[in-house]
Amino acid sequence: MPHAPAPSAPTWVVADTRTVSDGGPPDLPSRGAADRLSPWQHGWRLVLVWVLGLGVWLFVGTVATDGWRSDVDGPGAVEGLLLLDLAVGHLALFVVAFRRRWPVGVALVTGLLCLFSAMAAPVSLLALVSLATRRRWPALVLVTVVNLLVDTFYELVVSPVLGLSDDAVLTNLGFAVLVYAICVLVGWNIGSRRELVRSWRAEASTANREQAARVAQGQLAERARIAREMHDVLAHRLSLVAMHAGALAHRPDLSEDERKEAAEVVRAGAHLALDELREVLGVLRADDRDEVSLSPQPGLSGIPSLVAEVTSSGQEVHLRADPSLWLRSVSLPGSTGRHAYRLVQEALTNARRHAALAATTVELDGRPGGGLSIQVSNPVPGRVFASGDGRGLAGMKERVQLAGGRFGAGQEGERFVVRAWLPWPEQVEPA
């Protein structure tokens, strides 16, 4: 290192601390992409070290020209060294522009160029700080040792020619070691801060992906819930319509009044199905600020009306329940009553599909703290009148499991039985 005032290293390099935009955290970039500098950031660093290097060169040139008066043979050698110093300094400035691509090589080359150039000293320190941001001790030790050897050569060989020599060689080398230590610490701190920013970006990117996954999962769950609700509601209505439409198509012996009655059932069932579908779609299309008026959801007390409606359409259904159950149902949670209604509705729909002419029995029993038991059974016909895709039983099982209950369905002897148990808390406010 030349015997000249060294600039302050901490002012040469600043970390790239650009934050994530308000639009959401980006994907985690690679190390090079995360630390890439803009043209402006590259430019002002190079201009700064060029100005500092030029100041060092002017200082050395001023001191050297003062010795020309006492040394007749000196001006030619000194002038040549100063021109070489200026040329090598600009070469080092060009090389240091590639310090982020080849940090170790550039640091070694700029350090060696300081053998004949005082102007290259600030450039060499910039390369050392950039290398220190990588936080690799072996490369830092190698570059520091090379720079100290170069400083020693400059103090012992070049400085006497320029008239800069003095008796404080060890002091100058000690000052150089201090400057190198400061540069390494500053670069190490910048590298640590960049690593911290990268970790923050990684955490933000991970959190963003997890949030997107949770949103997608929530959307799928809501779609499944809506689809299940529409299936439970519309399948009941449309199965009634299909049964009476089939009677109109395949029963030519029906009287005119019977035909009108069946057609009226088909018309009423289709109208109710459209109304319920319109209500569900209205909820899906409604904005958060809109107020959507919905009819009360059916519960346990709506099961007798459901049985009466199915019976009036021609399907024989028997309801068996303790009369006191309806009095106790005031303490049944609304969600449990709604699940019970949908289970019975779907079970009757399945019975109508597979055993339209068989009598179906619905049995209900329960009390607070003991749970609500539901059983729907019908004889297994010798001939299946309709077929399904098997989603009805799967939907009922999923509904019961989500409610924390138990579900079972299968053939028992000559009957097909659907059993479900739903929890009924002992202490709950009236629904």
Side-chain angles (χ1 to χ4, degrees), residues 62-105:
T62 302
V63 175
T65 53
D66 290 341
W68 290 358
R69 301 184 183 92
S70 59
D71 188 358
V72 178
D73 298 331
V78 170
E79 188 178 25
L81 284 176
L82 289 178
L83 292 177
L84 179 64
D85 190 325
L86 186 63
V88 173
H90 283 86
L91 176 61
L93 185 66
F94 173 78
V95 172
V96 83
F98 302 95
R99 67 194 182 280
R100 300 179 70 83
R101 182 174 298 180
W102 302 292
V104 179

Side-chain angles (χ1 to χ4, degrees), residues 354 376-382 384 393 407-419:
H354 300 286
V376 181
S377 62
N378 60 272
V380 177
V384 178
L393 294 177
F407 178 82
Q411 184 173 344
E412 299 181 3
E414 297 181 355
R415 299 184 68 84
F416 188 87
V417 182
V418 176
R419 288 191 179 90

Side-chain angles (χ1 to χ4, degrees), residues 218-238:
Q219 291 175 345
L220 291 176
E222 186 65 16
R223 290 175 182 175
R225 185 191 66 81
I226 294 174
R228 184 169 56 249
E229 195 74 14
M230 293 180 64
H231 174 271
D232 293 343
V233 172
L234 297 181
H236 171 70
R237 301 292 181 188
L238 296 180

Side-chain angles (χ1 to χ4, degrees), residues 40 190 195 353 415:
W40 160 251
I190 292 174
E195 188 68 29
R353 286 177 177 175
R415 299 184 68 84

Side-chain angles (χ1 to χ4, degrees), residues 389-404:
D389 53 8
R391 296 182 182 178
L393 294 177
M396 286 190 287
K397 181 178 180 180
E398 183 180 1
R399 180 186 290 273
V400 171
Q401 290 179 346
L402 291 176

Side-chain angles (χ1 to χ4, degrees), residues 14 25 28 99 129-130 152 158 176 181 210 213 244 309 317 344 351 377 393:
V14 295
L28 179 62
R99 67 194 182 280
V129 172
S130 180
T152 303
V158 181
E210 291 178 352
H244 286 276
E309 177 187 3
V317 180
V344 174
S377 62
L393 294 177

